[in-house]
Amino acid sequence: MMSSVPRPGRTYSLRDFALIAASCILVYIVGFAMYLAGSVAPRADRLRDDTIPVLALFEELSGRADRIERAITQAHGVTAGGSSTALDSLRAFIVASGRVEPALVAYAPPEMRGALVRAEALTSSIETKLHELVANVELGRTGEALLLLDQVHSIQSEVGQVLVDAERIGLRELSAREQALSSAISSAITLVAWWVVVGVMLVVVLLATVQRLVQRPLAQIEGGLNRVSQGDLNARVVVYRNDELGGLASHFNEMTSVLRARAEEQGRFAAAGQLIAGVAHEVNNPLMAIASLADTRLEEPDLDEELRGELLQIRRQARRAGKLLSGLLRFVRASELPSTSLSLNEVIRSATDLVSYRFSVEEVTLVERLDPFLPPALGGVGRLEQVFVNLLSNAVDAMRGAPLPRVLEVETWCEDGRVCVAIADTGPGIPPEMEHRLFHPFATTKGASGTGLGLYISRQIVREGGGDIIYEPAAAGARFVLHLPATPITVVPLGDTAPRTGESDRRGLEGIRVLVVDDEDAVRAPIVKYLMRRGAQVSEAKDGLEGLEVLERNPADVILADLRMPRMDGAAMWARLNETRPELAGRTIILSGDLSQLDGRLPVPQDRVLVKPVELKEIEAKIRSVARHAERQPASRL
Amino acid sequence: MLSPAKQIAVCVMSLAVVACEPRAGTAVIGYAYQPFPASDATLRAARDAVAETAGSHHPDLIVQILALDSTPPFYSAIELAERLTAIPEVVVVVGHSSSRTSLAAAPVYNAAGIPQINAHATSRLLADVGPWTFSLPPDDSTEGAFIAQFAADELSARNVSIFYENDEYGTGLRAGTQAGFQELGVTVLDQVPFDSESNFDVLLRASLRRGIPDVLVVAGRQVATARIALLARELSPETRLIAGDGALVLPELADLAGPAADSLYVVSSWVPGGADSASLDFVERFRRVNGRVPLAYEALGYDAIMTAVAAIRDVGPHRRRIQRWLLDLGDVRPAIDGVTGRIEFQDRNTPRLVMARIEGAHAVPAVAR
């Protein structure tokens, strides 16, 4: 179960922050524009709208006043004795003069309206009086005409004064409005300046918030990722907020927790593997002793049949245990073995042996349909064995608790140049929601007991070999199919690389002097006894140092030495011989209980290493081979 | 807390409820008039009609007529208009009493969105002063054309003179009449402006020296018209007088004109004696409330007020809806039958004008149009 990291209380998410920030910016910009449009522009428009009619009014009044003045001038002329043409002209002029639109007065300031109306009325009065003046002149009533002219002048003066007053009022009004506009502009400038300041502050706050909400958490996560990439799985990042980045940080912490747990688990597995390798190595010696003793007794001619049967059983079980231990060692050290051309059938059988102990317990029936003509494939034996152990174990686990019969089918065949293996079970199958995640890391159907890495690693191993594993839903249960490219390279037999011997050479070991060096009496004694029975002259020692001393007294043709011994192990002994007596080093056979010693770690040539448990006949054959080889060399005998 | 969608739905439903019941409330008709007997009589008759018909309409709708003095100087009309627009219950205004005051106040009403129904002003400038000013009487051009046509057709005038009061009414009617005569090929011998201080004797004599007109058109009010009529009867008895509707104030015109009244033709929007039900009802009501037969001036005022009442009772006390109602009158909404004829405010409107003569203290049709 992934560890849960406590998160801070609910806060605004980054999306909320982005929305708020965008809204603030929008309000700022729109408000700014609206203020300009709603405050300054309308005032300017109002001033313009108020000013234009007033100016138009003045213009009209001035125009009218000008016309009246011209008419008065003409009236002077006609009063002083103008022609009828002049009279007609003046009359027409008066009739043609227009009037001020009363509607314009509505836009004038209240104080001006009275003056304007008064001016308009006086002007109209002048017009009618001028017309009456003309009528009097036409009727020869010059006196009345002159009186009217005086009245006209008087009214004209009054009109002038009224217009001056109206103009003063109007200018005062316009000035006041202009000042109001200037004040509004000043206010607007001030407000704009403050608005800009607010905008700058907004930007600063925004940047600071972004730094706090985004940059800092991102830097934390980046630092954590760097530490993880450098191998520090204890890296954790601080979860500042319960937002998107906080969620990312939390997931990062959870991820590293999982990785750490898996790494620890893998470490435990590796340690367990080491332990198993060590135990297997130690168990190999007693197994070899058991098998060797059984072999030795079986050589006796007068053996009771019942006893012979029991000894055979003892030897068989010892060899079987040894084989299992070899497979276990191979499984544990799978990654250390090189890729070779191999038979998948043999790898499958070896993997099946490793998990076979579960078949009876889980009531699983194994059905094998292995193609006997299956071409070899290229791959790492141990790693592929690991893959099949994983698939077989998964199948057995899947059938746990399933109704009987529980059948585990293993099938091999060749198709289109590829070697195929199918492993199927009759369990409940894979849940549909898990199918697409089967080969993903940490995907497991086994709950806390599963690492979720088996299929992922298995697929990786197979893909490295140019193949793949696929899952095929079956009518009942699950079916995994693995395929690898077939190769024509000669198959190297599974297990140790030592050449196998079929039957013992009937010639025995007559005339061969053998030094057996092994610290365990239970292992050494049966070998000595067997070799002597086969005609060899055998001397023995318990460690490398003693062995060298014995060699001084009793020369040997072949030296058989265990690898792990106190005081001086087999490898050190060989190294000493290689320095002082290289001919003897070339005739030294090392007995090792560890399969990994075949990968070239020992200074001893590979063909001089035998891996326990080894049959006595095999030892005999090896000794004979080494001795024969030595005979062909010059100065081979000591 | 309701979701935003539900809140919007509630608001829409509330608005719908309000919209479905628009006619409740108090509606005030602003009556801007000049306080003289004709206006007072109109007001009494209108209030009588509103009170009598209130029961047949929405019980929660109250219609009131607020009468305010619109006496010149005309700039006070602006102030009066501003006062009326400041009253929220004022949804429509009837007035003002003259072309000058109507023109002065119209921009204020239009800016406030208050419909203005003009009952008496004939200045054609009222057609362009704003979208919410509606005129019942015909404008100067229409009246001028009517006068010109009558003079040419009925009085066989070949040359005329025009005496006009030097204000918005007089100058407007002069222009309309002059255009009408020009179109009919009638010669305008003289155009004489006058005001209350003018010496009509001098003006008339001087004008007659320039030519004796077949018809003398007076675009003025009752006092000036009466004085000119008396002088013309003495100085040029053959000359016929035609006066504009502004002079038809009875019995004052008849009293002032004296013996000259018989030869006087006066333009009128209406004369009593019509057989239509609207006229009959109006005459009966007016006689009952005021004790006399109504004048054309009063009929126009009454029609204007009752048009406003009809709009309010139809769409409720809402300025915008009344605007729309008046605009649609005669278009998507059928014209209403007023005392002075069909009331509508479309361009194709053909107002009814009557040329009347004075008999006693009453106006009677000389020629019906």
Side-chain angles (χ1 to χ4, degrees):
Chain A
M1 188 68 180
M2 291 185 183
S3 62
S4 62
V5 178
R7 295 185 184 182
R10 179 167 177 77
T11 56
Y12 287 112
S13 68
L14 285 179
R15 187 179 64 176
D16 294 338
F17 165 72
L19 283 175
I20 292 171
S23 301
C24 289
I25 293 169
L26 192 64
V27 166
Y28 175 83
I29 294 172
V30 171
F32 191 45
M34 285 178 65
Y35 170 73
L36 288 178
S39 176
V40 176
R43 291 184 184 183
D45 288 342
R46 261 201 304 277
L47 180 59
R48 182 199 62 204
D49 292 342
D50 291 345
T51 305
I52 290 176
V54 172
L55 293 176
L57 200 57
F58 271 110
E59 195 174 329
E60 256 197 65
L61 284 173
S62 296
R64 213 149 168 240
D66 289 342
R67 286 194 298 274
I68 293 298
E69 191 158 344
R70 286 200 296 275
I72 293 172
T73 303
Q74 286 186 18
H76 273 282
V78 301
T79 307
S83 64
S84 62
T85 307
L87 288 168
D88 290 338
S89 171
L90 178 58
R91 195 168 42 246
F93 188 82
I94 292 167
V95 170
S97 64
R99 303 192 62 80
V100 173
E101 283 194 35
L104 283 179
V105 179
Y107 296 105
E111 294 176 359
M112 280 182 67
R113 290 176 194 162
L116 292 173
V117 167
R118 178 74 181 146
E120 172 70 11
L122 291 173
T123 306
S124 298
S125 177
I126 290 175
E127 287 174 351
T128 54
K129 288 190 181 320
L130 284 175
H131 198 100
E132 193 173 325
L133 180 150
V134 169
N136 278 290
V137 169
E138 287 176 341
L139 293 174
R141 296 162 60 124
T142 311
E144 285 77 7
L146 288 170
L147 277 173
L148 284 167
L149 193 58
D150 287 339
Q151 290 176 12
V152 164
H153 279 297
S154 175
I155 297 172
Q156 187 188 30
S157 299
E158 192 177 347
V159 169
Q161 187 57 47
V162 170
L163 285 178
V164 166
D165 292 341
E167 191 175 291
R168 189 177 63 248
I169 296 169
L171 287 173
R172 190 171 64 223
E173 281 290 317
L174 287 176
S175 175
R177 292 178 186 181
E178 198 176 18
Q179 281 180 358
L181 180 61
S182 297
S183 174
I185 291 172
S186 297
S187 299
I189 291 173
T190 304
L191 194 65
V192 165
W194 277 108
W195 210 270
V196 171
V197 168
V198 167
V200 169
M201 289 172 60
L202 193 66
V203 168
V204 169
V205 168
L206 199 64
L207 289 174
T209 307
V210 167
Q211 195 278 333
R212 186 165 176 273
L213 294 185
V214 178
Q215 287 179 332
R216 185 173 65 167
L218 278 179
Q220 277 278 319
I221 294 170
E222 186 182 3
L225 287 169
N226 277 335
R227 290 199 297 277
V228 170
S229 68
Q230 290 167 9
D232 179 11
L233 293 183
N234 289 314
R236 291 181 66 82
V237 296
V238 176
V239 180
Y240 291 105
R241 297 166 56 84
N242 189 18
D243 57 10
E244 292 86 340
L245 289 176
L248 187 63
S250 296
H251 288 313
F252 174 84
N253 291 335
E254 290 169 3
M255 180 188 73
T256 52
S257 294
V258 168
L259 288 175
R260 196 164 51 247
R262 297 293 179 235
E264 288 169 1
E265 201 170 53
Q266 292 298 321
R268 286 195 295 275
F269 287 158
Q274 291 288 342
L275 183 63
I276 290 170
V279 169
H281 178 265
E282 294 304 318
V283 171
N284 268 335
N285 276 348
L287 285 176
M288 183 171 174
I290 294 169
S292 298
L293 284 170
D295 269 340
T296 303
R297 290 304 304 276
L298 283 169
E299 290 289 322
E300 295 173 3
D302 301 325
L303 209 58
D304 180 55
E305 286 304 317
E306 184 180 353
L307 182 58
R308 178 180 294 278
E310 290 173 352
L311 288 171
L312 283 172
Q313 182 68 8
I314 291 170
R315 188 177 66 177
R316 191 180 311 118
Q317 295 302 321
R319 284 176 180 170
R320 182 176 171 231
K323 189 177 174 186
L324 281 173
L325 280 176
S326 297
L328 191 60
L329 274 174
R330 194 170 47 246
F331 182 82
V332 169
R333 295 181 188 273
S335 60
E336 300 170 3
L337 297 177
S339 293
T340 58
S341 180
L342 48 84
S343 166
L344 281 187
N345 285 342
E346 290 187 13
V347 178
I348 288 169
R349 289 196 191 96
S350 173
T352 306
D353 286 342
L354 287 174
V355 300
S356 60
Y357 70 96
R358 297 184 61 188
F359 292 162
S360 60
V361 174
E362 302 288 350
E363 298 181 81
V364 173
T365 303
L366 175 67
V367 175
E368 287 183 331
R369 290 193 291 273
L370 306 182
D371 181 356
F373 304 105
L374 193 71
L378 188 66
V381 170
R383 289 161 65 80
L384 284 175
E385 195 174 67
Q386 185 181 5
V387 170
F388 290 125
V389 165
N390 176 251
L391 293 175
L392 291 168
S393 297
N394 285 348
V396 173
D397 289 338
M399 287 188 287
R400 184 179 299 150
L404 297 173
R406 302 176 190 140
V407 179
L408 177 59
E409 292 183 359
V410 180
E411 183 182 356
T412 61
W413 72 94
C414 181
E415 183 179 339
D416 297 333
R418 306 193 76 81
V419 179
C420 304
V421 178
I423 297 175
D425 62 73
T426 57
I430 304 294
E433 63 273 15
M434 278 292 295
E435 287 184 20
H436 69 284
R437 296 196 298 126
L438 268 183
F439 295 97
H440 290 189
F442 309 120
T444 177
T445 60
K446 301 177 184 177
S449 63
T451 65
L453 292 173
L455 284 176
Y456 170 71
I457 294 173
S458 297
R459 176 179 258 189
Q460 294 301 108
I461 292 170
V462 175
R463 281 182 171 177
E464 285 172 7
D468 202 357
I469 303 177
I470 58 174
Y471 164 70
E472 291 182 357
R479 185 168 189 263
F480 287 85
V481 177
L482 176 153
H483 63 82
L484 283 166
T487 174
I489 298 174
T490 304
V491 174
V492 175
L494 191 66
D496 63 68
T497 57
R500 289 187 181 273
T501 55
E503 299 176 354
S504 60
D505 193 321
R506 297 185 187 281
R507 292 177 294 170
L509 298 172
E510 294 289 337
I512 298 177
R513 296 169 294 179
V514 182
L515 171 61
V516 178
V517 186
D518 198 314
D519 59 318
E520 293 210 24
D521 295 338
V523 175
R524 188 182 70 254
I527 295 175
V528 169
K529 193 174 180 181
Y530 177 81
L531 292 178
M532 287 176 69
R533 192 177 292 172
R534 296 298 295 164
Q537 295 173 24
V538 183
S539 54
E540 54 188 301
K542 291 185 179 178
D543 58 59
L545 273 179
E546 186 180 340
L548 290 173
E549 291 168 2
V550 169
L551 276 175
E552 293 299 324
R553 296 191 304 273
N554 299 321
D557 298 318
V558 178
I559 301 169
L560 181 69
D562 187 24
L563 179 62
R564 294 176 64 173
M565 293 181 293
R567 296 208 302 165
M568 178 183 282
D569 63 15
M573 181 183 175
W574 181 88
R576 180 72 66 83
L577 287 174
N578 200 33
E579 288 176 11
T580 58
R581 300 178 71 176
E583 70 285 0
L584 271 181
R587 287 180 271 141
T588 301
I589 299 170
I590 299 295
L591 269 181
S592 171
D594 192 349
L595 189 66
S596 65
Q597 302 310 310
L598 294 180
D599 63 359
R601 292 183 195 178
L602 287 177
V604 183
Q606 289 288 308
D607 63 346
R608 290 288 192 266
V609 178
L610 291 178
V611 180
K612 296 176 184 177
V614 61
E615 295 183 21
L616 295 175
K617 290 192 176 87
E618 195 172 343
I619 294 175
E620 176 189 351
K622 193 66 174 179
I623 293 172
R624 188 182 302 113
S625 168
V626 170
R628 195 176 299 133
H629 179 76
E631 284 175 359
R632 297 194 198 106
Q633 302 300 319
S636 60
R637 290 189 63 90
L638 190 61
Chain B
M1 181 70 176
L2 295 176
S3 66
K6 287 185 180 177
Q7 288 180 17
I8 291 170
V10 168
C11 287
V12 169
M13 288 173 62
S14 301
L15 286 172
V17 168
V18 171
C20 290
E21 191 46 75
R23 291 171 293 171
T26 299
V28 174
I29 301 172
Y31 181 39
Y33 76 115
Q34 202 167 336
F36 63 97
S39 299
D40 293 336
T42 304
L43 187 60
R44 283 194 292 271
R47 282 177 169 159
D48 182 75
V50 169
E52 184 178 307
T53 57
S56 60
H57 296 276
H58 198 282
D60 294 330
L61 178 64
I62 301 171
V63 180
Q64 295 177 348
I65 303 174
L66 175 64
L68 295 177
D69 187 356
S70 179
T71 303
F74 83 91
Y75 65 81
S76 67
I78 300 169
E79 291 160 4
L80 186 150
E82 289 170 345
R83 284 170 55 195
L84 284 174
T85 56
I87 302 173
E89 290 80 4
V90 171
V91 295
V92 61
V93 168
V94 172
H96 293 217
S97 55
S98 68
S99 292
R100 169 174 280 197
T101 53
S102 294
L103 284 167
V108 180
Y109 297 129
N110 278 272
I114 297 182
Q116 174 194 14
I117 302 177
N118 161 42
H120 304 108
T122 57
S123 172
R124 63 182 177 282
L125 297 177
L126 284 168
D128 301 323
V129 75
W132 312 128
T133 298
F134 304 88
S135 293
L136 273 182
D139 62 15
D140 307 340
S141 303
T142 307
E143 187 174 350
F146 177 72
I147 291 173
Q149 196 74 43
F150 181 83
D153 293 347
E154 303 298 328
L155 303 181
S156 304
R158 286 188 293 279
N159 47 62
V160 299
S161 291
I162 304 173
F163 275 58
Y164 63 96
E165 191 151 359
N166 199 8
D167 61 7
E168 281 72 25
Y169 167 71
T171 54
L173 187 56
R174 172 191 65 82
T177 311
Q178 181 189 16
F181 283 129
Q182 191 173 355
E183 196 169 318
L184 294 173
V186 178
T187 305
V188 176
L189 297 175
D190 200 7
Q191 299 182 68
V192 181
F194 63 85
D195 58 25
S196 57
E197 296 177 352
S198 297
N199 188 331
F200 290 103
D201 183 74
V202 167
L203 292 176
L204 186 57
R205 286 179 187 277
S207 178
L208 290 173
R209 277 170 61 93
R210 287 189 281 278
I212 307 294
D214 298 323
V215 168
L216 179 63
V217 176
V218 181
R221 294 175 176 79
Q222 65 275 18
V223 172
T225 302
R227 291 171 64 181
I228 292 170
L230 284 169
L231 283 168
R233 185 169 184 272
E234 179 188 340
L235 299 174
S236 177
E238 303 81 21
T239 302
R240 303 296 184 92
L241 251 73
I242 301 177
D245 67 305
L248 189 59
V249 180
L250 295 172
E252 191 175 0
L253 177 61
D255 295 340
L256 291 172
D262 292 341
S263 59
L264 193 58
Y265 293 94
V266 187
V267 177
S268 179
S269 297
W270 176 82
V271 290
D276 56 286
S277 59
S279 291
L280 291 173
D281 289 344
F282 170 64
V283 171
E284 188 273 333
R285 181 187 305 282
F286 196 95
R287 189 176 285 166
R288 173 169 51 80
V289 172
N290 295 300
R292 61 173 173 84
V293 174
L295 306 171
Y297 182 91
E298 290 153 343
L300 280 169
Y302 181 85
D303 267 351
I305 294 174
M306 297 313 295
T307 300
V309 172
I312 293 169
R313 284 177 170 166
D314 205 4
V315 297
H318 307 286
R319 293 177 181 177
R320 287 197 181 278
R321 290 184 183 171
I322 295 172
Q323 289 172 3
R324 197 72 246 169
W325 192 93
L326 293 170
L327 272 178
D328 292 342
L329 204 58
D331 186 12
V332 297
R333 188 183 304 281
I336 57 178
D337 292 324
V339 174
T340 59
R342 289 172 60 81
I343 300 175
E344 56 185 347
F345 302 107
Q346 307 302 319
D347 292 339
R348 64 177 180 277
N349 179 24
T350 306
R352 187 170 66 183
L353 288 172
V354 177
M355 191 63 74
R357 297 189 66 173
I358 310 298
E359 282 187 5
H362 305 286
V364 297
V367 172
R369 182 173 178 172

